[in-house]
Amino acid sequence: MEVGTGPSEATLRRLERASGALATQAVARMDDELPWFRLMPADQRSWVTLVAQAGIASLVDWCRHPGRLPRLTGDVFGAAPRELVRAVPLKQTVDLIKVTVEVVEDRVEQVAEPGDADTLRLTVLQFSREVAFATAHVYASFAEDRGAWDARLEALVVDALVRGDRSEELPGRMAALGWATTGPVIVLVGSAPPGEQDSRAAVRRAARSMRSEVLVGVHADKLVVVLGGVDALRAVAGRVSREFGPGPVVVGPQVDSLAHAGESATAALAGLHAAPAWPDAPRPVDSEDLLPERALDGDPVARAALAEQVALPLHNAGGGLVETVRTVLGNGGNLEASARALFVHTNTVRYRLKRATELTGCSATDPRGAWTLQLALALTGLDGDRSLWH
């Protein structure tokens, strides 16, 4: 708008006096034309009324100071800046502005001094364009601020998981980050990709492509990922693991809720520390599959798990299972030699080994299973339960 071509001072004074009534009429029309507006709480509707009135006042000020951009953050959204931006999405805000402008346009003939109506109408159109640009800037700034806040909150959550914090605030913090699910979750850990690439963005894209909830953080040189919201979490973990840096990626056990996510993270981190002892481990590898290496690394949870899941079931089953497993291990998996040492038929050895596999999930004739069985029996013996050796 060129200097000197705006509405007269008399018209602007009349517009100022009418601003309250125009704002009330605008809100009434919003109520008629925008179904979502009718559902808004009363306090938010009052914010919109204040903002509409401030917008008309800003129009008057803009006319008196042509060339100056509308100051939405102070002049218009100053009544409820952050609250209104949180409550009303950009698309709906555009609808609110459109209705307000239409109301002002409809009242131009009543507000303007004689001969000033066309000038005021043109001014309103120009101002609405400036407001549209300024509104987009406000929302962009808010999104940037919200993104920085989310990043800080996400870092706090990841730090709590890494420290094994079982704080009751964890689910609330996750909800604040937009985490909607209350179902099972798993935690993955591994090395962060080298260089400056944004590994977190790549992980989020990979997880969301499979409709999974995701939380990502970097702690020191470790990339920590929390997944949830879908049934096939292991499949999602397999896809997401491609976005990690070189080296092992460990998946913690699936837990039933966010409140227990720390347990999954603790197991995954223990597995990551012990993973170098199994160079041929798959990627990703379950922390449970790393129980032998974790136990050797001094993890008491893994040591107890080996006793509970492997050694004790063999001992409690009786029927010579412990002795048979130990004999087969001692003979390098040779069933015939083991049968001769035990004075039983080879088929008896096979039956006992099948039973042992059913109880423990480990086969004495498989290299990995044999390693797990041997270590579980040895560690349990060292822990004082000598009965397992007889």
Side-chain angles (χ1 to χ4, degrees), residues 149-382:
W149 166 253
D150 285 354
R152 289 193 293 271
L153 185 56
E154 194 171 39
L156 286 173
V157 171
V158 169
D159 184 64
L161 291 175
V162 171
R163 289 186 288 105
D165 186 2
R166 290 174 172 77
S167 171
E168 295 180 356
E169 297 178 357
L170 184 61
R173 290 175 176 175
M174 298 284 273
L177 288 168
W179 188 286
T181 184
T182 56
V185 300
I186 58 174
V187 178
L188 288 75
V189 295
S191 66
E196 299 297 325
Q197 68 184 88
D198 188 355
S199 56
R200 283 173 287 194
V203 167
R204 289 190 183 96
R205 285 194 298 270
R208 289 168 181 165
S209 71
M210 301 183 73
R211 303 185 182 280
S212 174
E213 299 270 17
V214 60
L215 172 71
V216 192
V218 177
H219 191 274
D221 60 344
K222 300 181 185 67
L223 188 62
V224 182
V225 179
V226 185
L227 299 173
V230 295
D231 294 330
L233 285 177
R234 299 289 170 175
V236 181
R239 170 63 187 88
V240 168
S241 66
R242 303 177 200 167
E243 309 302 333
F244 281 72
V249 176
V250 182
V251 184
Q254 181 170 299
V255 293
D256 58 6
S257 69
L258 284 172
H260 300 286
E263 299 171 14
S264 182
T266 298
L269 288 164
L272 184 64
H273 193 266
W278 187 11
D280 297 326
R283 177 182 156 121
V285 58
D286 282 4
S287 60
E288 295 293 299
D289 292 338
L290 285 161
L291 285 177
E293 289 75 18
R294 289 168 53 191
L296 285 176
D297 196 36
D299 181 359
V301 175
R303 193 160 179 154
L306 284 175
E308 181 180 346
Q309 299 173 19
V310 180
L312 291 179
L314 289 177
H315 171 68
N316 294 335
L321 257 61
V322 170
E323 181 184 11
T324 300
V325 168
R326 288 181 55 228
T327 302
V328 171
L329 293 174
N331 283 282
N334 188 313
L335 301 189
E336 289 75 14
S338 299
R340 289 193 297 270
L342 293 167
F343 300 103
V344 297
H345 195 276
T346 304
N347 286 339
T348 301
V349 175
R350 290 193 178 94
Y351 170 79
R352 292 177 180 175
L353 291 182
K354 180 181 178 183
R355 177 64 176 151
T357 301
E358 291 171 350
L359 290 171
T360 66
C362 303
S363 171
T365 57
D366 170 75
R368 182 70 189 172
W371 157 245
T372 303
L373 288 164
Q374 190 163 21
L375 189 64
L377 293 172
L379 290 176
T380 308
L382 288 174

